[in-house]
Amino acid sequence: MKGNMMDGPKTLFDKIWDSHLVEEKDDGTCILYIDRQIIHEITSAQAFDGLRENNRPVRVQDAHLLVADHNVPTAGRADGIENEESRIQIELLEKNAKEFGLPFIDFLDVRQGIVHVIGPEQGFTQPGLTLVCGDSHTATHGALGSLAFGIGTSEVEHVLATQTLLQKQPKNMRITVNGKLPEGVTAKDMILAIIGKIGTAGGTGCVIEYAGEAIEDLSVEGRMTVCNMTIEAGARAGLVAPDQRVFDYLEGRPMAPKGAAWEQAIEYWKTLKSDDGASYDIEVELNAAEIEPQVSWGTSPEMVAPIGSVVPNPADIEDPAKRETVEGALEYMDLDPGQSLTDIHVDKVFIGSCTNSRIEDLRSAAAIAKGRKVAGSVYAMVVPGSGLIKEQAESEGLDAIFTEAGFDWREPGCSMCLGMNGDMLEPGERSASTSNRNFQGRQGPGGRTHLVSPAMAAAAAVTGHLADVRELAADVAE
Amino acid sequence: MRKFETFSGVAVPMADHNIDTDRIIPARFLKTIKRTGLGVNLFNDVRYNDDGSEREDFILNQSHYRNSEILVAGDNFGCGSSREHAPWAITDFGIRCVISTSFADIFFNNSFKNGLLLIKVTPEQRDALLEDAARGENARIEIDLENQKIVRPDGEEITFDVDPFRKHCLLEGLDDIGITLQSDDRISSFEEKQKQSMPWMQGARV
């Protein structure tokens, strides 16, 4: 018997893994059953080609959900897609859905949105199942207790053809965030602080379980923000044990179990937590009370600092390779060592992405935007995560708050997170962005990205520079 | 997939840590619906000027390195996005092997499925190979997967570990899906069992 199959205390991850193990080969390579797959237009065309070339059918049609998100325009989409390559890719997704008989959401449908927003929203994502997508932010779905991870196109094809993946079992890592988050500090600040602490390869080879009072206190949406950026810490999947909040979130969603199946599912979902005494290969603890609003200053998500601090000085770094990396980052970002973070002016503000485009994200940004104006030098856009979130926000009057303040209110999609659809930074432009990656050129060639929470992004929009949202929130309170 | 055979070639040194897949192939080149043709855009934004001309300071534009077949890289190579376009771009350029101390997980899986061998070495070995690579065409490095060794230009051998299954697939040029489908009966019986015990798990229509 292999270690993971032995009796004894198990982690949540071990439980889900074991319940999906089809076969384990002598060298530890496992055939893991995959319950669900979400498919978008960027990483799937070549996978469907592969099926056609080899005359292979899709094994389980209803296990998949297809929707376009990366490449869709966020304005005027009813007029069609202007960019020819984008149009071909999006049309091809629909063609593949029809040819292989797969569930599909049209890009003009109100349910369309970012894959990692609509999975939970539709109830496609559920506790205890395995879920994959050709997108590294698939870790998001772990917020509902689903073992979810990103894969490449060859693996997308592998899942389509076999409903399984060949995997070796990752290690167990637990990150416990004790205590309570201070006022004005959000799930985004928490995950940025975690990445700052463990580094961008800190979780490589692991599945991270997030635990502790501060995690339990988060809404399901907040947990999605935390799990979403797990990949930025190098781990493919993040998990939170599902609790009553998750069950309440899922109940009544279109694809959630109904009737007797719902009762049966709940009984099972309640068993999905790590046993007392389960052991982890790596344990990390943080104190929530010490976390401040975070902002990234460099070109890797581990290059973050509390908003009240300054740009670090490479001269203080002993390791020569690390020092060079930081020097390179500061040169690219056009920042000086010792400069106050709040002195950094921005040109664009992006509120959106699979990290921060859900209704509570929009509410928290709107609370700061309300009654204020976007600074004259700044262009700011809000891109809801799905058509349903957009509708919800409009019913709450959030769109009016944003547009009165001078924000551009857009249609759902991935948008400026990765700058594929025309929403992008120009060379040399600087953004405050609620997305997940500040890599060189991520939001457009030569663009400079500062990762922040939605409220911090709104604060940057109205002040024209990176700003401490707690100071603006205090003004609102007065 | 083409079989991986022993070869010796020029290695290009890229010592930066955390070279991410956005740097390897920027998102706007992901509009393609093919696996081929991405080599010309490998490292696009650091390789070309705004007007499309080559940047002289970028190493792959230097005559020694235009035909590189090996890349020696800093820690955590291939982090970020899951785009398989990254290994597609690397192999389309002509690189068949990347050597580093560590690789991001998804990139690691994607590479082997495209015949791209990734070798993990110690920081000291990586630094030595970076020095070899800095000598360009004057220092060809041999990659012998069968015997799991790197032969440096001076003849010194560095042995490396590789997962036996991945090695087998690479040497034989095998397709994963065909191998998995040999377990079709087991997959079917798993599905039957799950349908009984957890009927809600299996698919739902939109």
Side-chain angles (χ1 to χ4, degrees):
Chain A
M1 274 282 184
K2 292 280 188 314
N4 61 355
M5 293 298 283
M6 288 194 316
D7 290 336
K10 283 183 177 183
T11 65
L12 168 59
F13 163 59
D14 291 338
K15 289 182 184 183
I16 303 178
W17 178 274
D18 290 352
S19 69
H20 288 83
L21 197 55
V22 173
E23 187 179 337
E24 182 165 356
K25 299 178 195 292
D26 291 340
D27 71 345
T29 302
C30 297
I31 299 183
L32 188 72
Y33 195 79
I34 302 299
D35 297 308
R36 308 262 163 116
Q37 174 164 242
I38 311 183
I39 293 176
H40 63 79
E41 76 278 23
I42 303 302
T43 55
S44 64
Q46 296 87 345
F48 287 109
D49 273 349
L51 291 181
R52 273 187 286 266
E53 282 161 22
N54 294 288
N55 258 325
R56 288 178 175 139
V58 172
R59 184 181 180 92
V60 181
Q61 290 164 313
D62 285 1
H64 308 275
L65 178 59
L66 278 68
V67 68
D69 61 358
H70 281 63
N71 223 343
V72 298
T74 57
R77 67 172 54 166
D79 304 332
I81 302 164
E82 207 176 308
N83 181 289
E84 194 187 351
E85 286 177 301
S86 300
R87 195 181 65 243
I88 290 171
Q89 230 176 18
I90 291 165
E91 286 173 354
L92 190 55
L93 187 75
E94 181 171 6
K95 180 177 161 284
N96 284 328
K98 286 190 174 144
E99 182 181 335
F100 289 93
L102 307 179
F104 168 73
I105 295 176
D106 186 82
F107 93 108
L108 292 173
D109 191 301
V110 72
R111 297 168 301 171
Q112 182 268 343
I114 305 172
V115 283
H116 309 309
V117 173
I118 70 160
E121 191 173 76
Q122 291 298 318
F124 187 74
T125 308
Q126 294 165 20
L129 48 73
T130 48
L131 185 152
V132 296
C133 174
D135 189 284
S136 61
H137 291 110
T138 308
T140 312
H141 306 259
L144 288 90
S146 164
L147 177 61
F149 49 91
I151 56 177
T153 300
S154 294
E155 291 184 313
V156 171
E157 183 183 342
H158 197 281
V159 174
L160 284 163
T162 71
Q163 211 54 47
T164 67
L165 281 175
L166 294 172
Q167 298 279 304
K168 285 214 166 160
Q169 185 166 9
K171 290 186 286 190
N172 277 288
M173 178 171 183
R174 179 164 62 183
I175 297 180
T176 307
V177 190
N178 297 308
K180 295 203 177 291
L181 284 176
E183 195 64 32
V185 180
T186 66
K188 181 65 164 287
D189 303 304
M190 189 195 288
I191 187 63
L192 286 174
I194 288 170
I195 297 163
K197 183 181 170 89
I198 70 173
T200 187
T204 301
C206 299
V207 166
I208 298 178
E209 180 180 344
Y210 297 98
E213 185 185 358
I215 297 288
E216 288 163 21
D217 281 351
L218 291 175
S219 65
V220 177
E221 286 88 347
R223 295 176 195 177
M224 288 189 218
T225 300
V226 171
C227 287
N228 172 273
M229 289 190 72
T230 301
I231 187 68
E232 266 59 68
R236 288 177 76 181
L239 272 174
V240 178
D243 58 7
Q244 193 59 42
R245 278 190 189 185
V246 170
F247 310 151
D248 292 344
Y249 174 94
L250 277 173
E251 191 166 11
R253 295 203 178 256
M255 299 171 84
K258 305 275 186 309
W262 172 259
E263 298 302 326
Q264 200 184 349
I266 290 267
E267 281 314 301
Y268 174 63
W269 294 347
K270 285 180 178 167
T271 68
L272 293 173
K273 52 188 169 204
S274 293
D275 296 328
D276 291 338
S279 70
Y280 294 84
D281 300 285
I282 306 173
E283 290 248 33
V284 175
E285 288 197 41
L286 279 85
N287 180 358
E290 291 171 3
I291 301 174
E292 293 182 62
Q294 303 283 309
V295 50
S296 73
W297 49 263
T299 53
S300 163
E302 69 184 18
M303 297 173 172
V304 289
I307 182 66
S309 59
V310 299
V311 174
N313 190 345
D316 298 339
I317 302 171
E318 276 184 33
D319 176 0
K322 271 195 182 147
R323 186 167 59 233
E324 255 178 59
T325 302
V326 170
E327 280 168 353
L330 294 189
E331 189 188 333
Y332 181 85
M333 294 297 290
D334 192 25
L335 295 175
D336 299 320
Q339 189 177 355
S340 289
L341 293 172
T342 50
D343 284 346
I344 298 172
H345 287 258
V346 301
D347 305 298
K348 283 183 176 161
V349 169
F350 171 59
I351 298 173
S353 87
C354 57
T355 312
N356 281 129
S357 63
R358 299 176 184 84
I359 190 69
E360 74 170 34
D361 298 320
L362 304 188
R363 287 177 190 144
S364 90
I368 299 300
K370 190 171 186 176
R372 295 191 167 97
K373 290 282 178 207
V374 172
S377 55
V378 174
Y379 167 78
M381 70 195 300
V382 185
V383 184
S386 73
L388 290 170
I389 289 171
K390 181 166 186 271
E391 271 192 356
Q392 171 73 23
E394 288 170 354
S395 76
E396 295 179 18
L398 303 184
D399 59 322
I401 293 173
F402 284 123
T403 50
E404 277 165 26
F407 288 81
D408 201 356
W409 179 248
R410 314 280 285 200
E411 303 282 339
C414 297
S415 183
M416 205 195 286
C417 174
L418 79 169
M420 271 196 87
N421 73 333
D423 302 340
M424 62 203 293
L425 296 180
E426 297 299 321
E429 276 189 337
R430 186 183 298 282
S431 75
S433 176
T434 67
S435 53
N436 39 56
R437 290 191 173 131
N438 51 346
F439 297 153
Q440 288 187 22
R442 168 78 177 183
Q443 296 190 290
R448 301 174 176 130
T449 303
H450 295 278
L451 302 175
V452 289
S453 73
M456 288 280 284
V462 298
T463 60
H465 55 83
L466 298 178
D468 189 336
V469 66
R470 292 170 299 187
E471 289 168 18
L472 281 84
D475 290 349
V476 172
E478 281 163 22
Chain B
M1 202 166 78
R2 181 176 146 194
K3 288 184 183 180
F4 193 100
E5 286 165 356
T6 300
F7 73 98
S8 69
V10 172
V12 57
M14 296 183 87
D16 278 4
H17 295 324
N18 301 321
I19 293 179
D20 57 74
T21 52
D22 275 84
R23 184 128 42 120
I24 295 170
I25 182 83
R28 59 190 187 284
F29 301 108
L30 274 49
K31 292 177 193 273
T32 177
I33 55 172
K34 298 198 187 98
R35 291 173 198 252
T36 51
L38 285 164
V40 67
N41 300 117
L42 176 67
F43 296 114
N44 190 87
D45 292 354
V46 283
R47 186 167 157 196
Y48 303 107
N49 293 307
D50 292 346
D51 64 3
S53 60
E54 290 184 354
R55 279 174 57 164
E56 281 175 21
D57 62 346
F58 184 64
I59 193 153
L60 285 178
N61 293 332
Q62 294 164 12
S63 59
H64 266 298
Y65 295 108
R66 285 184 183 274
N67 298 314
S68 299
E69 291 176 277
I70 300 162
L71 195 166
V72 186
D75 303 344
N76 196 29
F77 185 83
C79 60
S81 156
S82 66
R83 60 191 67 167
E84 200 160 315
H85 309 67
W88 293 340
I90 292 171
T91 53
D92 195 61
F93 178 87
I95 289 169
R96 296 150 70 185
C97 172
V98 185
I99 302 170
S100 175
T101 57
S102 55
F103 299 93
D105 289 339
I106 305 178
F107 177 78
F108 193 79
N109 281 341
N110 287 343
S111 294
F112 278 87
K113 291 184 192 300
N114 289 282
L116 177 63
L117 173 64
L118 305 186
I119 301 177
K120 287 184 207 174
V121 294
T122 66
E124 294 73 25
Q125 291 168 337
R126 188 263 318 276
D127 292 346
L129 290 164
L130 279 172
E131 283 175 27
D132 290 340
R135 291 164 56 204
E137 280 174 4
N138 301 319
R140 297 176 81 85
I141 293 172
E142 183 181 299
I143 305 293
D144 180 351
L145 173 58
E146 178 78 53
N147 296 302
Q148 296 180 215
K149 62 183 187 187
I150 302 167
V151 185
R152 296 181 60 194
D154 63 4
E156 191 204 331
E157 295 183 356
I158 296 173
T159 56
F160 60 87
D161 284 335
V162 59
D163 179 286
F165 178 71
R166 293 186 200 275
K167 176 180 175 180
H168 173 68
C169 289
L170 230 53
L171 287 174
E172 300 299 324
L174 292 177
D175 160 16
D176 270 6
I177 296 177
I179 295 171
T180 301
L181 286 174
Q182 291 170 3
S183 297
D184 189 47
D185 290 351
R186 280 173 180 255
I187 299 171
S188 296
S189 77
F190 178 94
E191 286 171 333
E192 239 356 272
K193 226 171 71 191
Q194 195 194 48
K195 201 175 275 178
Q196 300 301 322
S197 61
M198 300 182 203
W200 71 89
M201 282 268 202
Q202 297 194 348
R205 277 273 160 189
V206 272

